[in-house]
Amino acid sequence: MVVQMGILLAVVIVLACSIGVLFISKKIHIPFIIGYFITGIIVGPFGLHLITEEQVAILAELGVILLMFTIGLEISLKNLLSMKKVVLIGGGMQMIITTVLIWAALQLAGLPSNTAIFLGMMVSTSSTAIVLNIYQTKGQMATKHGKIALGILIFQDLAVVPMMMLAPILAGPEETNLLGTVLNFVVGLGMLGIILIAAIYLVPKFLQRVALTRSSELFIISIVTICLGIAWLMSLNGVSLALGAFLAGVAISESDYSHEVIGQIMPIRDLLTSFFFVSIGMLLNLTFLAQHLPFLLILAAALIIAKLVVSFISVKVIGMATGVALLSAFGLSQIGEFSFVLGATGYSSGILSDNMYQIFLAVSIMTMIMTPTMISIAPKFVDRFFPTPVPEGPGYSSPAGSVEDELPIGHVIIVGYGLTGHYVAKALKKVSIPYVILELNPETVSTEKKLGENIHYGDASREGILEFAGIKKAQTIVVSIPQMDTTKAIVTTARRMNPKIGIITRSRYISETAELYRLGADEVIVDEKEAALQIFHRILSNQQVPVQDFDLYAKQARNEIYDKYIEMPINSNLKLNTKGGKFEIVRMRAKQANEMLSKNKSRVEQIRVEKGSKIAGKRISDVQLRKNYGVSVIAVRCAGKVDAVVSPDGDTILNEGDTAVVIGDRDSIASMMVLFAEKIE
């Protein structure tokens, strides 16, 4: 009980301190990872000594497992192959050259060869989490240098797998254990092959069956079971849990549900991963840092410059322009978070000494702290010394498993592929507007994908799913699902992620519209209102009421509807341009958003010939309604008479008070209405 309370107290202390540190970090634009390091330094044994590393060790290890798992999820083997030039040549050269240079320098400094090689591998990686966070914030993910940096970062993440497997061999085991270590290495590689085969055949089929149950609880339990289960199986062969989790992620990445898995697991991963980075900060000895600060600063600067030069050469070799190569190199100049995973492995296996590990921790954190500044000054540096415009060219695509780079800026996201979503997609296709569909029915996803639709399985209320669908560069999101709680969550998330996006949503009841507008929706189409007005229209049509009267009655009904229901405060961001204040703005927005009724290809309307109208007293053939407007008169009922003349000829005269029954599309009838309107003196 005492141990449990100690762990609970440690968690509370870490989270409470993280809130303050991350709040300040957000204000001064420091990446969250750096904030976690600082939190660890503050609460750790070399700071205020509030907790020990052992108290958060379990949570930190779970964080590493989930971090490796999600990295595996985000790696698409197909996309990696499509940009093999950047990934294999650029990424391979960058890591090999960096490792060799560090190894040579440390050999000259007198370090053992195995330690020098291991440190070279650790230094060769860059921070995927920090770089991608900054690129996304600055809108540089879709740039050429952003894609190149991302490709190399993914290659580095992949390279962590064999490096972790090599750690026991580099540790220099006893002669009796060497054969077993090599066998474990070979078995691990064999398991990797098995997992990749499972990625193609077994895991996607299993997840499809789970998705068919429509149970989010069963889906998340299956994800965690696959992650931890494969990690455990790998650990039986001497492979680390983190490596096993990575392979589990790779297995799921090849299924249609990988982005949904990311959306489900990401909040848990972010929480537990924070404990890992906090635990790293707790290991940093402040006394050691203070005693060797000048040396550590010089070493950190030297490593940044060395990695910048090596990364520049690696990108330049694959044929990229100088400006692009430099921008990519600035982004790759730090040491990455996976180096801490490697470092922990090397420290526990005896490859790294205490002093060596402290030097590594201090230098790595320093390079990470410098990353935002490096990326910020990169464009200015390139513009000053290499001002030649960099042409964009083909030859690669993003490996992140997102559809964002496949769509141009201004696409539409359709949430839900029921009847409404189907017709929205059909209309967008006719006018050549690109779109992506998010749907939670796996059968629909499977069927429509075979028919060529750009449809994906995912819950659009999750940030990871909207990120996958390219929310930040989308023009509009259409929420066509009937579930109101989910719709509200989607509207809130979409508005937060892209304040400029247009949000059109569906609502079953009029009473829900005010809340949707308050949450950020731009237009709300109400099922209840549309049904009521359509029924109202049919009733009046059956009673032979002219369309002008129907429009008048419909407007009155619409006003009464919104006067009754739109009685809630509106988002304070709206400008108060009307005398009616906030309530009037909501009412006006609701009326404007719902002004359009359903448009049928052709419709029948009854129109009264008003007093002094342009058509009054004229023959049907004189106004040529079919030729000029595409509208045909199919019946005429004279004023004061019950019976109507069906299929009137061209000589039929339309007098004031007569009612003409016409057929045509809505727009054509609307444009023709001016002929029947009353003359205003």
Side-chain angles (χ1 to χ4, degrees):
M1 184 67 178
V2 175
V3 175
Q4 293 174 343
M5 291 301 294
I7 294 176
L8 179 60
L9 178 61
V11 170
V12 172
I13 291 173
V14 169
L15 294 179
C17 187
S18 296
I19 291 173
V21 174
L22 295 180
F23 180 81
I24 296 173
S25 299
K26 181 69 174 177
K27 291 292 184 181
I28 60 178
H29 305 291
I30 294 178
F32 278 2
I33 289 180
I34 308 301
Y36 291 135
F37 290 150
I38 296 173
T39 301
I41 293 171
I42 293 173
V43 303
F46 301 105
L48 299 178
H49 198 48
L50 299 177
I51 59 175
T52 63
E53 199 274 333
E54 289 76 14
Q55 288 177 303
V56 295
I58 296 177
L59 294 175
E61 186 169 6
L62 284 174
V64 175
I65 289 172
L66 290 179
L67 179 63
M68 293 290 284
F69 177 61
T70 51
I71 289 296
L73 282 171
E74 294 171 347
I75 292 175
S76 170
L77 299 180
K78 294 178 182 178
N79 287 334
L80 282 175
L81 290 175
S82 69
M83 54 181 303
K84 52 185 176 291
K85 184 178 180 181
V86 172
V87 173
L88 298 179
I89 300 177
M93 284 189 61
Q94 186 271 332
M95 296 200 72
I96 292 172
I97 294 174
T98 303
T99 302
V100 171
L101 285 177
I102 298 298
W103 170 80
L106 295 179
Q107 282 280 278
L108 293 175
L111 267 69
S113 182
N114 63 334
T115 301
I117 292 175
F118 194 77
L119 282 170
M121 293 190 302
M122 290 165 60
V123 171
S124 66
T125 65
S126 303
S127 177
T128 303
I130 292 179
V131 174
L132 293 192
N133 179 268
I134 296 174
Y135 278 177
Q136 287 173 349
T137 302
K138 293 181 175 293
Q140 297 181 12
M141 287 298 297
T143 62
K144 177 169 278 192
H145 71 270
K147 293 179 179 179
I148 291 172
L150 179 58
I152 294 176
L153 287 168
I154 295 298
F155 180 85
Q156 293 174 355
D157 294 340
L158 279 171
V160 171
V161 176
M163 287 193 289
M164 291 179 67
M165 297 173 71
L166 285 171
I169 298 176
L170 291 174
E174 297 290 335
E175 184 68 26
T176 54
N177 294 328
L178 180 60
L179 180 59
T181 303
V182 174
L183 284 175
N184 282 337
F185 181 79
V186 175
V187 169
L189 291 178
M191 288 294 292
L192 174 61
I194 294 174
I195 295 302
L196 293 179
I197 293 174
I200 300 173
Y201 296 104
L202 302 179
V203 175
K205 293 181 179 179
F206 172 72
L207 284 179
Q208 184 178 25
R209 290 185 174 274
V210 172
L212 286 171
T213 64
R214 306 289 187 86
S215 170
S216 59
E217 293 83 2
L218 181 58
F219 194 83
I220 189 67
I221 290 174
S222 300
I223 294 167
V224 175
T225 302
I226 291 173
C227 171
L228 299 181
I230 294 178
W232 175 73
L233 288 174
M234 294 292 288
S235 68
L236 297 179
N237 295 294
V239 180
S240 70
L241 289 170
L243 176 56
F246 171 84
L247 296 177
V250 172
I252 298 177
S253 72
E254 294 303 315
S255 75
D256 292 334
Y257 309 101
S258 59
H259 42 276
E260 171 66 8
V261 174
I262 293 174
Q264 294 264 17
I265 207 74
M266 197 64 75
I268 305 173
R269 189 211 73 171
D270 290 342
L271 177 62
L272 293 179
T273 302
S274 68
F275 286 96
F276 168 68
F277 291 118
V278 168
S279 68
I280 295 297
M282 291 171 62
L283 296 175
L284 184 61
N285 190 327
L286 296 180
T287 303
F288 182 88
L289 179 65
Q291 291 174 348
H292 303 87
L293 186 59
F295 167 73
L296 294 173
L297 287 173
I298 293 172
L299 185 57
L303 280 174
I304 288 175
I305 294 172
K307 290 200 69 175
L308 194 153
V309 172
V310 171
S311 299
F312 170 76
I313 294 173
S314 302
V315 177
K316 188 67 178 172
V317 164
I318 60 178
M320 297 299 167
T322 301
V324 173
L326 273 173
L327 290 172
S328 303
F330 272 93
L332 299 170
S333 58
Q334 75 292 133
I335 297 175
E337 60 271 359
F338 279 109
S339 296
F340 296 117
V341 180
L342 285 172
T345 303
Y347 183 64
S348 62
S349 60
I351 300 176
L352 303 178
S353 63
D354 289 339
N355 284 345
M356 191 64 62
Y357 191 46
Q358 284 298 323
I359 292 173
F360 163 73
L361 288 176
V363 171
S364 299
I365 292 174
M366 287 177 180
T367 62
M368 286 183 167
I369 292 175
M370 286 298 296
T371 300
T373 303
M374 295 291 292
I375 293 178
S376 295
I377 66 174
K380 299 177 183 177
F381 180 85
V382 172
D383 289 342
R384 180 172 181 178
F385 296 102
F386 303 94
T388 304
V390 181
E392 295 290 334
Y396 59 87
S397 60
S398 171
S402 170
V403 300
E404 181 175 6
D405 292 329
E406 300 173 6
L407 293 166
I409 294 175
H411 68 283
V412 176
I413 301 173
I414 303 172
V415 180
Y417 201 63
L419 187 62
T420 303
H422 174 79
Y423 280 107
V424 171
K426 189 175 181 180
L428 292 174
K429 190 177 296 182
K430 283 186 177 181
V431 294
S432 300
I433 295 177
Y435 61 87
V436 58
I437 305 165
L438 299 175
E439 169 61 47
L440 276 174
N441 186 332
E443 293 177 326
T444 301
V445 174
S446 178
T447 302
E448 296 300 328
K449 184 164 284 189
K450 291 177 182 177
L451 297 175
E453 277 292 359
N454 187 15
I455 186 170
H456 303 273
Y457 181 89
D459 181 355
S461 64
R462 302 181 182 277
E463 288 191 11
I465 303 302
L466 291 180
E467 188 76 36
F468 165 82
I471 183 70
K472 293 183 179 179
K473 71 175 190 179
Q475 180 73 28
T476 307
I477 179 169
V478 179
V479 186
S480 65
I481 59 176
Q483 295 84 2
M484 186 47 51
D485 289 341
T486 306
T487 298
K488 291 178 182 178
I490 294 170
V491 171
T492 303
T493 306
R495 180 59 68 206
R496 182 176 67 253
M497 296 182 70
N498 184 353
K500 296 182 180 179
I501 194 170
I503 302 177
I504 303 174
T505 184
R506 167 185 172 188
S507 169
R508 294 181 64 184
Y509 304 111
I510 298 163
S511 56
E512 298 167 338
T513 56
E515 177 69 5
L516 289 171
Y517 282 123
R518 186 186 67 80
L519 293 174
D522 293 298
E523 298 188 30
V524 181
I525 309 301
V526 187
D527 295 351
E528 184 182 49
K529 188 217 71 176
E530 295 300 334
L533 291 180
Q534 286 297 324
I535 292 171
F536 183 46
H537 182 223
R538 297 298 184 269
I539 293 172
L540 296 185
S541 296
N542 291 337
Q543 295 297 321
Q544 298 181 339
V545 176
V547 68
Q548 293 100 322
D549 291 344
F550 166 72
D551 288 339
L552 176 61
Y553 298 151
K555 288 179 181 179
Q556 292 174 349
R558 189 175 281 113
N559 289 338
E560 291 174 2
I561 286 169
Y562 287 107
D563 285 342
K564 179 179 179 181
Y565 286 106
I566 308 301
E567 295 286 341
M568 297 180 64
I570 193 170
N571 193 322
S572 59
N573 292 331
L574 287 177
K575 297 180 180 180
L576 303 180
N577 293 326
T578 65
K579 297 180 180 179
K582 292 184 178 181
F583 288 7
E584 183 62 18
I585 290 178
V586 179
R587 193 176 294 111
M588 293 297 293
R589 285 186 63 186
K591 292 174 183 178
Q592 181 181 6
N594 291 277
E595 196 65 35
M596 296 184 297
L597 294 173
S598 302
K599 293 185 178 181
N600 297 326
K601 188 172 182 180
S602 62
R603 57 196 300 134
V604 177
E605 299 287 4
Q606 301 180 62
I607 309 174
R608 184 174 55 243
V609 180
E610 301 289 1
K611 181 180 179 181
S613 63
K614 294 180 181 179
I615 204 171
K618 294 184 179 180
R619 294 180 300 176
I620 295 177
S621 59
D622 292 337
V623 291
Q624 297 183 328
L625 295 178
R626 181 190 295 274
K627 178 181 178 181
N628 296 330
Y629 298 96
V631 177
S632 299
V633 179
I634 58 176
V636 174
R637 188 177 72 251
C638 296
K641 294 185 178 180
V642 177
D643 295 331
V645 178
V646 180
S647 300
D649 56 31
D651 293 328
T652 301
I653 297 176
L654 296 174
N655 297 306
E656 293 179 2
D658 290 351
T659 300
V661 182
V662 300
I663 184 170
D665 62 66
R666 183 177 178 83
D667 291 338
S668 298
I669 294 175
S671 63
M672 181 201 67
M673 287 291 295
V674 65
L675 301 178
F676 290 79
E678 182 178 358
K679 182 179 180 181
I680 301 176
E681 298 296 338

